[in-house]
Amino acid sequence: MKYKVTALTPLLVGDGRELSPIDYMVWKDQVNVLDQTRIFKLLSRGPRLEGYLAQLRKATKLDFASWGGFAQNFSQRRIPFETADATAIWNSAPPEALFIPTFAANYRGAYLPASALKGALRSGLVFSRWSLSTMERAAAAMEGDRLPRRVSDSAEGSAQASQMRVLGIADSKPVPTTAFKVYVSRTASLDFRQAGDPQLVWKVAGRGSVAAQRVNEATPVFAEMAVPGTEFAGRCDERAFFEQPDLARSLGWRGAPSVEAIVAAANQFAASQLEMQARYAQATGLPVFEQTVTRLQSELQAAQAGSLACLLCLGWGGGFLSKACFHDTDSDAYRKILRSVPSLGRAIRDKVPFPKTRRVIFAQGKPASLPGWVMLQLGAQ
């Protein structure tokens, strides 16, 4: 059968690559990705090659006054900014913020990797099975002199094989380059140091944070993202042979989940995420951001009313909630587990909700949406 994924908010599913500031030049409110091979061939015929190489070695970005003609004549592709105002933001951004992660692509073009879909569906399936007692058992297993290597294996239902094997998904077909723009995002946080309601602040790399009124001083992050409405199509198959009792038993399964159960679990996972995002939007007081969350909740209701349709949060920027399979972060047992993770331990504080940060995508210069939300339809024509 076929599947269709429709981007509901700006979407980036990358392959680890990014454009450095010397791989592109900004001209006419767009990112012009340079064809360096052609440029080297051209410059090798004259005396300017050494000067160009010297700037590549030393400069944080290419000098437009000297090499701006390359942006006009030697561009592999041109990616427009979401808004023309982003050019001024780019010009004033620190050099370390000018690296642009790009969408996954091969020789055929940009595509949606199947691994991103299966990973999100698997997280939803695990989420539907974990409970507070699961976290308490996992936390208890961490006590003692020697920590277990795989605390959650038994809680996932099988330590031998992922039950997502029942659903085979292929990478999507390539989509046109016109489906992408470079968006600006910033990281929002909540400040609980003052008495009363938490205050919205924006993160500044290396300097803490600034108040909501000084959002333009917050560190911007640029990313190539598929615009809302972009459709990715591909093929998927339900592997019915996993329903054989002997096979399921040999894999350590009590039974093989149906595709309907996987889709329902994904919607349950999405509902929990959006509930927490709605509370966050209300706490921050960002009206457009709050409207986006409300719209996503309406899309979720439509998906639940349909057949084999679900909402997923994929790829870059989804944050902790899109990756974690348990969301009650106020639980003492769960916090004990999180404190054991070096990258999270310092962020866990008593009487402070976790997580308190969100990656926010800006549209027309205003904080507008969450990244990575899509509608997946299985069996689509």
Side-chain angles (χ1 to χ4, degrees):
M1 59 180 172
K2 298 180 180 179
Y3 71 81
K4 181 175 71 172
V5 174
T6 305
L8 302 178
T9 63
L11 170 68
L12 168 58
V13 179
D15 52 9
R17 293 180 294 183
E18 59 185 10
L19 298 172
S20 73
I22 60 174
D23 289 327
Y24 67 90
M25 300 186 77
V26 172
W27 179 62
K28 288 191 174 180
D29 300 326
Q30 58 189 0
V31 171
N32 298 265
V33 183
L34 301 178
D35 187 341
Q36 297 287 16
T37 301
R38 288 184 62 198
I39 292 173
F40 289 150
K41 286 182 178 179
L42 172 69
L43 295 181
S44 64
R45 301 171 186 170
R48 301 184 68 193
L49 180 59
E50 290 300 325
Y52 185 68
L53 293 175
Q55 184 163 129
L56 291 182
R57 286 193 297 266
K58 299 178 181 180
T60 56
K61 57 184 177 181
L62 290 175
D63 177 19
F64 193 88
S66 301
W67 311 105
F70 291 159
Q72 305 172 44
N73 304 313
F74 294 91
S75 295
Q76 288 180 325
R77 58 193 179 108
R78 295 178 169 88
I79 318 169
F81 281 118
E82 180 273 331
T83 177
D85 295 340
T87 301
I89 299 174
W90 185 89
N91 287 327
S92 59
E96 59 272 16
L98 303 182
F99 290 79
I100 302 177
T102 56
F103 210 91
N106 56 22
Y107 70 96
R108 299 174 59 197
Y111 68 97
L112 181 63
S115 57
L117 291 174
K118 291 196 70 172
L121 289 171
R122 176 183 172 278
S123 296
L125 186 62
V126 175
F127 173 85
S128 68
R129 296 175 175 176
W130 282 6
S131 63
L132 181 58
S133 61
T134 306
M135 293 299 106
E136 291 173 346
R137 289 196 300 271
M142 298 177 63
E143 297 179 355
D145 297 333
R146 184 174 181 180
L147 297 178
R149 294 181 61 187
R150 297 182 176 90
V151 177
S152 63
D153 272 355
S154 60
E156 292 188 34
S158 171
Q160 302 180 31
S162 170
Q163 293 191 342
M164 282 305 301
R165 289 186 177 187
V166 302
L167 185 62
I169 304 178
D171 294 339
S172 78
K173 298 177 181 177
V175 295
T177 57
T178 54
F180 301 94
K181 290 183 179 180
V182 174
Y183 284 81
V184 176
S185 71
R186 291 183 169 94
T187 301
S189 184
L190 293 175
D191 187 353
F192 291 87
R193 292 175 296 182
Q194 300 179 6
D197 295 333
Q199 302 296 314
L200 170 66
V201 293
W202 295 93
K203 289 290 187 178
V204 180
R207 293 200 295 117
S209 58
V210 295
Q213 297 80 6
R214 300 164 57 189
V215 60
N216 291 334
E217 299 178 26
T219 302
V221 175
F222 301 86
E224 179 192 21
M225 311 185 80
V227 301
T230 303
E231 294 184 355
F232 300 86
R235 293 198 60 83
C236 59
D237 296 297
E238 182 179 3
R239 297 164 177 166
F241 61 83
F242 279 106
E243 298 176 0
Q244 300 175 24
D246 292 341
L247 178 57
R249 193 179 305 112
S250 67
L251 293 173
W253 300 354
R254 295 182 180 179
S258 65
V259 174
E260 290 79 7
I262 292 174
V263 169
N267 281 328
Q268 183 182 347
F269 186 40
S272 176
Q273 292 181 67
L274 291 175
E275 181 182 355
M276 297 189 73
Q277 301 291 17
R279 293 201 295 265
Y280 192 87
Q282 186 175 12
T284 56
L286 299 173
V288 182
F289 182 79
E290 189 171 2
Q291 292 169 12
T292 299
V293 175
T294 302
R295 177 174 59 84
L296 290 173
Q297 290 177 318
S298 299
E299 295 282 0
L300 176 61
Q301 293 177 357
Q304 292 172 323
S307 175
L308 295 182
C310 61
L311 257 66
L312 302 172
C313 185
L314 306 177
W316 178 86
F320 176 85
L321 296 179
S322 67
K323 308 298 187 294
C325 300
F326 190 76
H327 288 161
D328 184 10
T329 56
D330 292 333
S331 163
D332 292 337
Y334 194 33
R335 290 203 164 206
K336 178 180 178 181
I337 298 172
L338 295 177
R339 285 192 179 97
S340 68
V341 181
S343 60
L344 301 178
R346 290 184 298 177
I348 306 297
R349 299 178 183 176
D350 293 335
K351 299 181 181 180
V352 176
F354 177 84
K356 63 178 183 178
T357 61
R358 297 292 191 279
R359 175 76 66 186
V360 180
I361 304 297
F362 281 60
Q364 300 300 316
K366 297 180 180 179
S369 67
L370 297 161
W373 282 91
V374 303
M375 170 85 76
L376 169 63
Q377 296 172 286
L378 299 176
Q381 299 297 323

Tab-separated table of all heavy atoms in Angstrom, residues 36-57 67 70:
chain	number	residue	atom	x	y	z
A	36	GLN	N	31.169	24.601	-5.819
A	36	GLN	CA	32.597	24.835	-5.606
A	36	GLN	C	33.456	24.170	-6.687
A	36	GLN	O	34.522	24.696	-7.040
A	36	GLN	CB	33.013	24.321	-4.221
A	36	GLN	CG	32.326	25.029	-3.054
A	36	GLN	CD	32.853	26.445	-2.826
A	36	GLN	OE1	33.518	27.025	-3.681
A	36	GLN	NE2	32.521	27.012	-1.682
A	37	THR	N	33.025	23.052	-7.217
A	37	THR	CA	33.811	22.384	-8.262
A	37	THR	C	33.954	23.277	-9.487
A	37	THR	O	35.059	23.442	-10.045
A	37	THR	CB	33.153	21.049	-8.654
A	37	THR	OG1	33.060	20.209	-7.505
A	37	THR	CG2	33.967	20.341	-9.732
A	38	ARG	N	32.865	23.877	-9.922
A	38	ARG	CA	32.913	24.783	-11.068
A	38	ARG	C	33.757	26.017	-10.757
A	38	ARG	O	34.500	26.508	-11.613
A	38	ARG	CB	31.495	25.209	-11.459
A	38	ARG	CG	30.654	24.125	-12.122
A	38	ARG	CD	29.320	24.682	-12.537
A	38	ARG	NE	29.476	25.755	-13.512
A	38	ARG	CZ	28.527	26.665	-13.799
A	38	ARG	NH1	27.386	26.654	-13.127
A	38	ARG	NH2	28.748	27.590	-14.705
A	39	ILE	N	33.638	26.507	-9.516
A	39	ILE	CA	34.397	27.700	-9.135
A	39	ILE	C	35.891	27.418	-9.169
A	39	ILE	O	36.695	28.216	-9.684
A	39	ILE	CB	33.952	28.183	-7.743
A	39	ILE	CG1	32.512	28.713	-7.805
A	39	ILE	CG2	34.896	29.260	-7.211
A	39	ILE	CD1	31.922	29.068	-6.464
A	40	PHE	N	36.309	26.266	-8.629
A	40	PHE	CA	37.735	25.919	-8.641
A	40	PHE	C	38.257	25.771	-10.068
A	40	PHE	O	39.381	26.193	-10.381
A	40	PHE	CB	37.972	24.625	-7.863
A	40	PHE	CG	37.809	24.785	-6.374
A	40	PHE	CD1	37.381	23.722	-5.593
A	40	PHE	CD2	38.081	25.988	-5.751
A	40	PHE	CE1	37.240	23.867	-4.228
A	40	PHE	CE2	37.931	26.145	-4.391
A	40	PHE	CZ	37.509	25.074	-3.626
A	41	LYS	N	37.460	25.172	-10.945
A	41	LYS	CA	37.887	25.017	-12.338
A	41	LYS	C	38.067	26.378	-13.002
A	41	LYS	O	39.016	26.587	-13.764
A	41	LYS	CB	36.870	24.181	-13.108
A	41	LYS	CG	36.898	22.694	-12.770
A	41	LYS	CD	35.891	21.931	-13.615
A	41	LYS	CE	35.948	20.437	-13.316
A	41	LYS	NZ	34.959	19.669	-14.123
A	42	LEU	N	37.151	27.291	-12.708
A	42	LEU	CA	37.234	28.623	-13.305
A	42	LEU	C	38.468	29.368	-12.792
A	42	LEU	O	39.236	29.934	-13.578
A	42	LEU	CB	35.969	29.413	-12.983
A	42	LEU	CG	35.976	30.892	-13.377
A	42	LEU	CD1	35.959	31.046	-14.893
A	42	LEU	CD2	34.785	31.624	-12.761
A	43	LEU	N	38.659	29.361	-11.454
A	43	LEU	CA	39.748	30.138	-10.876
A	43	LEU	C	41.115	29.537	-11.169
A	43	LEU	O	42.129	30.247	-11.133
A	43	LEU	CB	39.552	30.260	-9.361
A	43	LEU	CG	38.308	31.045	-8.906
A	43	LEU	CD1	38.246	31.115	-7.389
A	43	LEU	CD2	38.287	32.451	-9.493
A	44	SER	N	41.161	28.248	-11.437
A	44	SER	CA	42.452	27.619	-11.725
A	44	SER	C	43.068	28.116	-13.025
A	44	SER	O	44.263	27.928	-13.265
A	44	SER	CB	42.301	26.095	-11.778
A	44	SER	OG	41.464	25.712	-12.853
A	45	ARG	N	42.281	28.778	-13.841
A	45	ARG	CA	42.778	29.298	-15.111
A	45	ARG	C	43.445	30.662	-14.958
A	45	ARG	O	44.015	31.192	-15.923
A	45	ARG	CB	41.633	29.425	-16.116
A	45	ARG	CG	40.911	28.102	-16.392
A	45	ARG	CD	39.659	28.351	-17.207
A	45	ARG	NE	38.856	27.127	-17.366
A	45	ARG	CZ	37.621	27.111	-17.872
A	45	ARG	NH1	37.059	28.261	-18.267
A	45	ARG	NH2	36.974	25.973	-17.980
A	46	GLY	N	43.343	31.250	-13.785
A	46	GLY	CA	43.906	32.590	-13.596
A	46	GLY	C	44.555	32.729	-12.234
A	46	GLY	O	44.721	31.763	-11.478
A	47	PRO	N	44.888	33.950	-11.850
A	47	PRO	CA	45.639	34.190	-10.611
A	47	PRO	C	44.773	34.303	-9.347
A	47	PRO	O	45.330	34.508	-8.260
A	47	PRO	CB	46.335	35.518	-10.901
A	47	PRO	CG	45.383	36.235	-11.812
A	47	PRO	CD	44.745	35.178	-12.656
A	48	ARG	N	43.467	34.213	-9.456
A	48	ARG	CA	42.603	34.494	-8.295
A	48	ARG	C	42.389	33.273	-7.384
A	48	ARG	O	41.811	33.408	-6.311
A	48	ARG	CB	41.240	34.998	-8.762
A	48	ARG	CG	41.307	36.257	-9.613
A	48	ARG	CD	39.908	36.748	-9.945
A	48	ARG	NE	39.215	37.233	-8.764
A	48	ARG	CZ	37.897	37.473	-8.730
A	48	ARG	NH1	37.163	37.231	-9.802
A	48	ARG	NH2	37.334	37.911	-7.632
A	49	LEU	N	42.834	32.103	-7.788
A	49	LEU	CA	42.572	30.904	-6.988
A	49	LEU	C	43.187	30.999	-5.593
A	49	LEU	O	42.554	30.636	-4.594
A	49	LEU	CB	43.089	29.667	-7.717
A	49	LEU	CG	42.885	28.335	-6.980
A	49	LEU	CD1	41.410	28.090	-6.719
A	49	LEU	CD2	43.495	27.186	-7.780
A	50	GLU	N	44.427	31.491	-5.497
A	50	GLU	CA	45.095	31.570	-4.200
A	50	GLU	C	44.343	32.487	-3.241
A	50	GLU	O	44.214	32.204	-2.051
A	50	GLU	CB	46.529	32.053	-4.376
A	50	GLU	CG	47.438	31.048	-5.042
A	50	GLU	CD	47.544	29.742	-4.262
A	50	GLU	OE1	47.507	29.807	-3.004
A	50	GLU	OE2	47.624	28.672	-4.887
A	51	GLY	N	43.847	33.612	-3.775
A	51	GLY	CA	43.090	34.528	-2.925
A	51	GLY	C	41.796	33.903	-2.430
A	51	GLY	O	41.389	34.103	-1.276
A	52	TYR	N	41.136	33.141	-3.304
A	52	TYR	CA	39.887	32.482	-2.926
A	52	TYR	C	40.139	31.413	-1.855
A	52	TYR	O	39.422	31.334	-0.849
A	52	TYR	CB	39.244	31.869	-4.158
A	52	TYR	CG	37.878	31.258	-3.919
A	52	TYR	CD1	36.784	32.060	-3.603
A	52	TYR	CD2	37.676	29.885	-4.008
A	52	TYR	CE1	35.525	31.513	-3.379
A	52	TYR	CE2	36.430	29.326	-3.798
A	52	TYR	CZ	35.359	30.145	-3.482
A	52	TYR	OH	34.119	29.597	-3.267
A	53	LEU	N	41.181	30.619	-2.046
A	53	LEU	CA	41.519	29.591	-1.070
A	53	LEU	C	41.918	30.203	0.266
A	53	LEU	O	41.603	29.663	1.336
A	53	LEU	CB	42.647	28.705	-1.604
A	53	LEU	CG	42.301	27.825	-2.812
A	53	LEU	CD1	43.535	27.089	-3.303
A	53	LEU	CD2	41.190	26.850	-2.463
A	54	ALA	N	42.603	31.322	0.228
A	54	ALA	CA	43.001	31.997	1.464
A	54	ALA	C	41.780	32.439	2.260
A	54	ALA	O	41.743	32.326	3.490
A	54	ALA	CB	43.899	33.186	1.155
A	55	GLN	N	40.775	32.945	1.560
A	55	GLN	CA	39.573	33.371	2.267
A	55	GLN	C	38.796	32.166	2.799
A	55	GLN	O	38.231	32.222	3.893
A	55	GLN	CB	38.669	34.207	1.359
A	55	GLN	CG	37.467	34.747	2.113
A	55	GLN	CD	36.779	35.880	1.421
A	55	GLN	OE1	35.576	35.853	1.242
A	55	GLN	NE2	37.535	36.893	1.013
A	56	LEU	N	38.776	31.069	2.059
A	56	LEU	CA	38.102	29.871	2.552
A	56	LEU	C	38.753	29.358	3.840
A	56	LEU	O	38.074	28.846	4.733
A	56	LEU	CB	38.135	28.764	1.495
A	56	LEU	CG	37.290	28.974	0.231
A	56	LEU	CD1	37.405	27.764	-0.677
A	56	LEU	CD2	35.833	29.219	0.581
A	57	ARG	N	40.066	29.523	3.948
A	57	ARG	CA	40.773	29.044	5.122
A	57	ARG	C	40.565	29.939	6.337
A	57	ARG	O	40.500	29.454	7.460
A	57	ARG	CB	42.281	28.937	4.829
A	57	ARG	CG	42.675	27.757	3.948
A	57	ARG	CD	44.185	27.548	3.969
A	57	ARG	NE	44.908	28.694	3.419
A	57	ARG	CZ	45.296	28.795	2.158
A	57	ARG	NH1	45.012	27.818	1.294
A	57	ARG	NH2	45.952	29.856	1.733
A	67	TRP	N	33.490	38.292	-4.026
A	67	TRP	CA	33.089	37.039	-4.663
A	67	TRP	C	31.589	36.946	-4.905
A	67	TRP	O	31.073	35.870	-5.187
A	67	TRP	CB	33.520	35.863	-3.776
A	67	TRP	CG	34.942	35.937	-3.340
A	67	TRP	CD1	35.400	36.271	-2.103
A	67	TRP	CD2	36.108	35.705	-4.135
A	67	TRP	NE1	36.765	36.261	-2.056
A	67	TRP	CE2	37.238	35.904	-3.297
A	67	TRP	CE3	36.324	35.342	-5.469
A	67	TRP	CZ2	38.547	35.764	-3.748
A	67	TRP	CZ3	37.628	35.202	-5.911
A	67	TRP	CH2	38.710	35.406	-5.069
A	70	PHE	N	29.819	34.956	-7.780
A	70	PHE	CA	29.617	33.513	-7.744
A	70	PHE	C	28.187	33.172	-7.334
A	70	PHE	O	27.627	32.167	-7.769
A	70	PHE	CB	30.592	32.869	-6.760
A	70	PHE	CG	32.023	32.920	-7.217
A	70	PHE	CD1	33.053	32.785	-6.304
A	70	PHE	CD2	32.342	33.119	-8.548
A	70	PHE	CE1	34.377	32.827	-6.717
A	70	PHE	CE2	33.665	33.173	-8.972
A	70	PHE	CZ	34.674	33.028	-8.066
